[in-house]
């Protein structure tokens, strides 16, 4: 019988670690974490947090139910499994904002019950569909009157500063965050901000002042430590007021570059007629009804039209990916729309020509795109392949092989060079793609997959291919 395996990203906390076994998730609690866990459990705080939607479903197991391979522990908790693990550098602006507000709301919830969060890592939040959930039970600890918020710097670097980067400068956080896993330092953001944007109290207290204090601490660490120790502390009322003020500020922030983009408007303004669009949806619906995927990947999901089609046809969960920031924000808003209430759709940011690698400590702390794709049952890539083959100059056979490698079955849409979309892409550049054709695409697909069905879906010659990998 196999043994439980330590999650590679769970090594920092001496209070306990996360293990996986047979598609189930376990958290060990060691001696160092017992007092805080027992206090939260006995006070009913953990149960209240779960029922209120702040904390992931968690159940304490009897020793006889523990899986093999766990180290000696005082307690073992089983958590509900997150359908698809994602990271802050894959979230849209609206998702990062939702995660930040969830963290602050959870803090306020806990303070009212004499508890707090020990840290403020953005990696302690995951998404189930469009809704954030806190996953680190061992971050909950008793609150003691007069305590500072020790997680403020971490919160700023991993939540606030990436949000401000887009809200104040119009720069998306994703690429920077991916290259700097602990977030965006206040000193870096402060250096980028024009003087006029530093004048507000919020910006001064959460960005400029922390940056100055950080620099001062580096120059004179002993004096900085002495000053912190001599401070009189913060009352509970002051603590809650500080969190509430920060929450209100974040809630008011919106992307500076909020103008509609070409691809965000694509769902409404494209080359399809209504009949052609319905033909495409019917093909996707029939595919999903036939293969019944537990998890489907939608590459180039845009605002989620075909992700919703797949869910309506029976897909249990859809992870969508797109490069367009505004489209992703619209997709997230769509998930939360009470008229649709899409619970099983998670839209994420992806540069498909440079997908997230395995990285972090020992290059396995954060799992890359390819490894996580192994849990996908099916993939759809609609009006997508030409963005790699034409816009990124990736050879068409390589694009096809990569798409087929992501799932055992799927649907790929081929867009011919004569299509108006590609003609716009080629308008200001040389056409260096003599081998880009329907015949070349089909040949490449047949070299690594079986074609189950095909359907021309536009007058311009767009064709859907239903494939099964071989």
């Amino acid at each position: 019988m196999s043994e439980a395996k330590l999650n590679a990203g769970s090594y920092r906390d001496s209070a306990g670690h996360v293990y996986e076994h047979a598609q189930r998730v376990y958290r060990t609690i060691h001696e160092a974490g017992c007092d805080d866990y027992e206090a939260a459990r006995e006070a009913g705080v953990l149960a209240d947090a779960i029922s209120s939607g702040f904390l992931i479903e968690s159940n304490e197991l009897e020793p006889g139910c523990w899986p093999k391979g766990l180290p000696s522990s005082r307690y073992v908790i089983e958590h509900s499994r997150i359908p698809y693990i994602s990271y802050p550098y894959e979230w849209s602006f609206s998702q990062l904002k939702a995660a930040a507000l969830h963290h602050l709301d959870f803090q306020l919830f806990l303070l009212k019950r004499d508890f707090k969060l020990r840290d403020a890592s953005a990696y302690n939040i995951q998404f189930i569909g469009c809704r954030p959930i806190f996953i680190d039970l061992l971050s909950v600890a008793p609150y003691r009157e007069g305590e500072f918020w020790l997680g403020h710097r971490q919160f700023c670097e991993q939540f606030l500063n990436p949000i401000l980067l887009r809200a104040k400068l119009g720069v998306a956080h994703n690429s920077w965050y991916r290259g700097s896993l602990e977030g965006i330092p206040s000193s870096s953001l402060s250096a980028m901000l024009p003087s006029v944007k530093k004048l507000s109290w919020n910006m001064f207290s959460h960005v400029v002042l922390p940056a100055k204090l950080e620099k001062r601490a580096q120059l004179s660490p002993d004096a900085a430590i002495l000053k912190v120790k001599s401070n009189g502390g913060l009352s509970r009322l002051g603590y809650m007021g500080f969190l509430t003020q920060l929450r209100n500020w974040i809630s008011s922030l919106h992307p500076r570059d909020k103008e509609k983009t070409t691809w965000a408007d694509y769902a409404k303004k494209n080359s399809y007629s209504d009949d052609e669009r319905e033909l495409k949806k019917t093909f996707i619906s029939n595919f999903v009804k036939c293969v019944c995927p537990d998890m489907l990947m939608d590459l180039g999901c845009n605002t989620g039209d075909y992700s919703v089609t797949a869910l309506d046809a029976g897909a249990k969960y859809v992870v969508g990916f797109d490069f367009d920031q505004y489209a992703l924000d619209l997709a997230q808003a769509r998930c939360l729309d009470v008229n649709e209430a899409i619970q099983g759709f998670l839209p994420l940011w992806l540069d498909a020509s440079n997908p997230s690698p395995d990285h972090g400590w020992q290059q396995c702390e954060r799992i890359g795109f390819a490894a996580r794709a192994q849990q996908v049952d099916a993939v759809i890539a609609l009006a997508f392949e030409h963005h790699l083959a034409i816009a990124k100059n990736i050879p068409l056979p390589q694009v096809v092989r990569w798409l087929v490698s992501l799932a055992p079955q799927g649907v790929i849409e081929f867009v011919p060079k004569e299509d108006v979309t590609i003609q716009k892409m080629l308008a200001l550049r040389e056409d260096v793609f003599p081998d880009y054709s329907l015949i070349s695409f089909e040949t490449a697909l047949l070299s690594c997959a079986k074609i189950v069905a095909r359907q021309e879906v536009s007058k311009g010659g767009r064709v859907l291919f239903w494939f099964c990998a071989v």
Side-chain angles (χ1 to χ4, degrees):
M1 181 180 293
S2 62
E3 295 186 345
K5 182 179 180 181
L6 176 68
N7 183 290
S10 179
Y11 64 87
R12 300 171 186 261
D13 194 349
S14 61
H17 299 106
V18 174
Y19 289 78
E20 298 178 61
H21 180 257
Q23 298 299 307
R24 298 169 71 178
V25 179
Y26 303 92
R27 184 183 297 275
T28 59
I29 300 179
H30 306 155
E31 196 67 37
C34 281
D35 289 346
D36 288 351
Y37 168 70
E38 289 170 354
R41 181 191 61 187
E42 297 308 314
V45 168
L46 299 179
D48 287 349
I50 293 169
S51 64
S52 298
F54 288 111
L55 183 65
I56 191 73
E57 184 74 34
S58 308
N59 297 295
E60 185 179 314
L61 300 180
E62 294 294 331
C65 299
W66 297 1
K68 288 186 175 182
L70 295 182
S72 178
S73 307
R74 286 284 299 276
Y75 298 100
V76 172
I77 310 299
E78 181 174 5
H79 295 305
S80 293
R81 189 174 186 86
I82 301 295
Y84 187 89
I85 296 295
S86 61
Y87 302 118
Y89 46 84
E90 297 171 326
W91 299 343
S92 65
F93 175 92
S94 56
Q95 287 171 322
L96 185 61
K97 178 177 172 179
L101 295 178
H102 186 85
H103 179 97
L104 294 173
D105 286 340
F106 191 22
Q107 282 258 49
L108 291 165
F109 170 92
L110 291 171
L111 279 172
K112 292 177 182 177
R113 292 159 176 80
D114 297 324
F115 282 80
K116 64 174 184 180
L117 290 176
R118 294 192 293 118
D119 53 19
S121 172
Y123 297 97
N124 284 342
I125 289 182
Q126 285 294 323
F127 279 84
I128 300 178
C130 60
R131 301 189 182 280
I133 192 77
F134 197 88
I135 63 170
D136 188 4
L137 174 148
L138 290 179
S139 287
V140 178
Y143 166 76
R144 294 171 181 82
E145 187 68 31
E147 286 187 302
F148 293 104
W149 181 19
L150 296 178
H152 179 243
R153 175 180 172 179
Q154 188 177 39
F155 181 89
C156 290
E157 293 184 346
Q158 297 195 11
F159 286 109
L160 178 62
N161 293 348
I163 290 171
L164 290 173
L165 189 68
R166 178 96 180 272
K168 300 302 180 181
L169 299 174
V171 177
H173 69 278
N174 306 83
S175 295
W176 187 344
Y177 207 143
R178 192 174 79 172
S180 178
L181 292 183
E182 297 305 316
I184 297 174
S186 295
S187 57
S188 297
L189 180 62
S190 181
M192 296 172 64
L193 290 169
S195 297
V196 67
K197 293 188 181 297
K198 298 179 181 181
L199 298 178
S200 75
W201 172 250
N202 282 324
M203 193 67 77
F204 177 78
S205 59
H206 296 293
V207 179
V208 179
L209 182 59
K212 290 181 179 294
L213 293 176
E214 181 181 342
K215 184 176 181 179
R216 186 180 303 169
Q218 290 173 348
L219 295 174
S220 182
D222 292 340
I225 293 172
L226 183 62
K227 185 172 183 178
V228 170
K229 287 184 174 181
S230 63
N231 197 296
L234 187 67
S235 69
R236 184 200 305 260
L237 187 61
Y239 198 154
M240 295 182 72
F242 186 78
L243 294 174
T244 300
Q245 173 268 334
L246 180 56
R247 189 203 186 284
N248 291 340
W249 183 35
I250 291 175
S251 184
S252 71
L253 295 173
H254 301 282
R256 182 182 179 188
D257 56 331
K258 58 184 179 181
E259 296 84 5
K260 289 184 178 180
T261 59
T262 300
W263 303 114
D265 239 9
Y266 180 79
K268 294 181 179 179
K269 298 178 181 179
N270 53 49
S271 57
Y272 296 109
S273 68
D274 289 344
D275 289 343
E276 290 170 343
R277 190 177 299 106
E278 287 306 311
L279 187 63
K280 189 172 176 179
K281 286 187 175 182
T282 298
F283 191 93
I284 297 301
S285 182
N286 289 339
F287 165 74
V288 171
K289 288 177 181 177
C290 181
V291 303
C292 302
D294 287 336
M295 184 175 295
L296 179 140
M297 180 185 290
D298 182 358
L299 289 172
C301 67
N302 201 261
T303 59
D305 276 4
Y306 295 99
S307 296
V308 174
T309 297
L311 288 167
D312 289 342
K316 294 181 181 178
Y317 202 82
V318 175
V319 184
F321 290 96
D322 208 284
F323 184 77
D324 189 283
Q325 298 285 348
Y326 189 68
L328 288 172
D329 284 332
L330 290 177
Q332 173 71 3
R334 181 180 196 164
C335 292
L336 296 170
D337 191 310
V338 293
N339 294 321
E340 292 198 69
I342 306 167
Q343 300 299 318
F345 176 40
L346 173 62
L348 297 171
W349 180 85
L350 172 72
D351 178 355
S353 66
N354 183 25
S356 299
D358 296 330
H359 59 172
W361 172 239
Q362 295 188 336
Q363 292 186 293
C364 59
E365 183 179 1
R366 308 299 173 200
I367 306 170
F369 173 82
R372 284 175 288 156
Q374 293 178 11
Q375 68 188 98
V376 172
D377 304 303
V379 62
I380 58 175
L382 310 177
F384 176 81
E385 51 79 26
H386 60 291
H387 290 286
L388 294 178
I390 302 295
K392 297 292 186 177
N393 286 50
I394 300 174
L396 186 59
Q398 291 187 27
V399 174
V400 173
R401 286 196 297 272
W402 179 71
L403 289 172
V404 171
S405 74
L406 296 176
Q409 50 209 340
V411 174
I412 305 173
E413 180 177 9
F414 176 77
V415 180
K417 192 185 293 185
E418 297 74 23
D419 188 273
V420 63
T421 302
I422 293 185
Q423 286 303 304
K424 288 180 180 178
M425 296 169 74
L426 293 173
L428 298 177
R429 59 178 298 191
E430 182 183 359
D431 182 353
V432 293
F433 309 100
D435 297 326
Y436 184 90
S437 67
L438 179 61
I439 293 175
S440 297
F441 175 87
E442 191 165 355
T443 300
L445 185 57
L446 285 171
S447 72
C448 56
K450 173 184 176 182
I451 297 176
V452 178
R454 56 180 286 167
Q455 174 73 59
E456 187 169 325
V457 290
S458 75
K459 294 178 181 178
R462 295 190 176 205
V463 182
L464 296 179
F465 288 86
W466 173 348
F467 74 84
C468 180
V470 294

